[in-house]
Amino acid sequence: MIKSLVGGIVAATAFVMLSSSALAEPEIVTGPSAEPDCFAPWAADTQFFKFPKKEGPYRIALANGYIANTWRIQMVQTAKAYAAQPEVAAKLKEFKVVSTGEDVPAQISAINNFIDSGYDAIVVNAQNPTAFGPVIKRAKEAGVVLVAFDNILDTKDAINVNVDQKGLGELWANWLIKHIPNGGKILEVRGVAGTSVDTDRHNGIHEVLDASGKKWEVTEVVGKWDDGVAQKASADAIATNGPFDGVTGQGGDTGIVQAMMDAKHPFVPFGGETENGFRKFCAKFAADGLKCSSAGTGPAQVAVAIKTAIAALEGQVIPQAVKLPLAIVEDPNFKEGQDYFPDQSDNFFVGNSFPTCGINFTAQEIMGQSKENQ
């Protein structure tokens, strides 16, 4: 009798666990998404998810990795600013932020801890696109909505939110080809090694340059998307391999231009990101040869990721891969007060909004937040 009872309990427990696991998985449904203008599918064949609806308010965590550059700092500040908006805060029981640095196992451990602590959703800027397999599986089995953004995850078991990073590299390369039609020497300042953003942008640049049929001599240095690191790396490259006919930088672009000025390097065509300081230089020195394509995506994509997580928890239809628009301004169209702001910090990333998602921030809203873990 006891044995039978125990067996029944075990069987019942197993049934509940299996049922919970099954309920945790999203249903694959047809589109469109709940907010088609915001949650745009990445491609025509992108699947749509519909998670089981959970009652709020929700516990949501941001598991960030690298923090030592202005984009990541502004991203964390933007996440906090978004979570603090009244209509968002009303849906949140708790919002937690952890930055773990470049240590991939530490970031995975942080996500595991959030799963173990019963968080409803985790948004992550992943240090590596392929190393998260086991934790993705754990999140899925636990019914935790996992949303990766910027540096995304190589999986269809989580939601990815991103811009076309490879397309951004292609855009910069085409800008250089347009202004250096016969080929030449290029300085390429890369981001953080091993991340999907760095790899995708790099591949986009080189595929377009290689396909041009022109001869390109590319010097690669690592700038980690940081002004100080990029400035030093650029200064060293100019001293050893310069001068260059063109430059492309994934970030830290204000520092790259400063290195050119310090070395008295001629201004040349430049394909770069959206830092306010970089755009100030582009506007000021355009007539002297600094012809810029400034494009990228502001740190506010973290807000879209949080919005996506909340929508998924509410049982709304969401694409498995959400495609965000790029913010692009190119010479000669840099307008003061719109595309760059003389009275704002050089480190502030312009274009930090997604109007189609109802996400717009002032610099004051963002800069009033801290970068520390909370």
Side-chain angles (χ1 to χ4, degrees):
M1 178 69 179
I2 294 175
K3 181 178 179 181
S4 174
L5 180 60
V6 171
I9 292 171
V10 171
T13 302
F15 175 77
V16 171
M17 290 177 67
L18 287 171
S19 298
S20 298
S21 178
L23 287 173
E25 296 185 15
E27 180 185 358
I28 306 299
V29 298
T30 56
S33 57
E35 297 183 39
D37 291 338
C38 178
F39 305 130
W42 188 267
D45 61 351
T46 298
Q47 293 182 327
F48 289 83
F49 286 168
K50 190 175 190 302
F51 284 81
K53 182 178 179 179
K54 281 189 176 183
E55 294 301 321
Y58 306 113
R59 299 175 70 209
I60 296 180
L62 167 61
N64 180 47
Y66 189 69
I67 190 63
N69 63 36
T70 53
W71 195 99
R72 291 293 182 101
I73 292 169
Q74 188 175 328
M75 180 271 290
V76 169
Q77 293 173 314
T78 302
K80 292 179 179 180
Y82 183 68
Q85 293 187 339
E87 65 275 17
V88 179
K91 297 181 178 183
L92 298 178
K93 181 178 181 180
E94 181 182 1
F95 182 65
K96 184 81 171 178
V97 177
V98 169
S99 295
T100 53
E102 295 183 69
D103 187 341
V104 174
Q107 189 177 29
I108 292 172
S109 177
I111 297 171
N112 273 317
N113 288 338
F114 286 133
I115 294 171
D116 292 338
S117 298
Y119 279 77
D120 299 300
I122 303 166
V123 294
V124 56
N125 195 329
Q127 283 301 113
N128 183 287
T130 61
F132 289 72
V135 78
I136 293 169
K137 184 173 184 290
R138 284 203 69 216
K140 183 177 180 180
E141 291 174 347
V144 177
V145 173
L146 188 61
V147 181
F149 69 98
D150 188 36
N151 289 289
I152 56 174
L153 296 169
D154 186 13
T155 181
K156 291 191 175 180
D157 286 330
I159 300 170
N160 284 321
V161 174
N162 206 2
V163 300
D164 185 355
Q165 302 288 359
K166 185 177 180 182
L168 181 54
E170 293 169 349
L171 182 144
W172 290 333
N174 280 315
W175 181 258
L176 295 179
I177 291 169
K178 176 181 177 180
H179 291 277
I180 315 168
N182 297 318
K185 292 177 64 177
I186 303 298
L187 172 62
E188 179 191 0
V189 184
R190 299 189 59 170
V192 175
T195 59
S196 64
V197 168
D198 174 72
T199 300
D200 290 347
R201 292 179 176 184
H202 170 77
N203 289 342
I205 292 166
H206 283 266
E207 286 181 17
V208 169
L209 291 181
D210 292 346
S212 71
K214 304 299 180 181
K215 184 178 179 181
W216 302 96
E217 181 183 336
V218 181
T219 297
E220 295 180 29
V221 297
V222 175
K224 292 192 173 183
W225 306 316
D226 177 77
D227 280 335
V229 177
Q231 182 172 341
K232 184 180 186 310
S234 299
D236 292 344
I238 291 169
T240 56
N241 287 11
F244 297 100
D245 301 304
V247 177
T248 181
Q250 295 192 22
D253 300 325
T254 309
I256 299 170
V257 177
Q258 189 62 54
M260 295 169 65
M261 294 167 63
D262 292 344
K264 295 181 171 50
H265 188 288
F267 287 121
V268 294
F270 195 135
E273 251 280 1
T274 64
E275 300 102 320
N276 192 44
F278 174 56
R279 288 187 171 187
K280 289 181 191 178
F281 281 146
C282 292
K284 183 176 181 178
F285 297 116
D288 300 315
L290 188 64
K291 302 295 184 181
C292 299
S293 172
S294 172
T297 175
Q301 63 176 282
V302 68
V304 182
I306 297 168
K307 180 182 174 74
T308 304
I310 293 172
L313 290 168
E314 291 177 336
Q316 299 182 37
V317 176
I318 300 294
Q320 183 272 320
V322 177
K323 188 172 186 178
L324 300 176
L326 287 169
I328 304 171
V329 182
E330 296 181 332
D331 180 80
N333 298 316
F334 290 91
K335 295 182 176 60
E336 181 179 331
Q338 174 180 309
D339 303 311
Y340 68 96
F341 300 87
D343 58 339
Q344 295 293 338
S345 164
D346 286 350
N347 295 332
F348 183 76
F349 279 78
V350 188
N352 194 33
S353 64
F354 293 96
T356 55
C357 295
I359 293 172
N360 297 280
F361 294 100
T362 65
Q364 290 76 17
E365 281 182 287
I366 295 167
M367 297 308 176
Q369 303 292 330
S370 69
K371 68 177 183 179
E372 281 75 26
N373 292 341
Q374 69 176 31

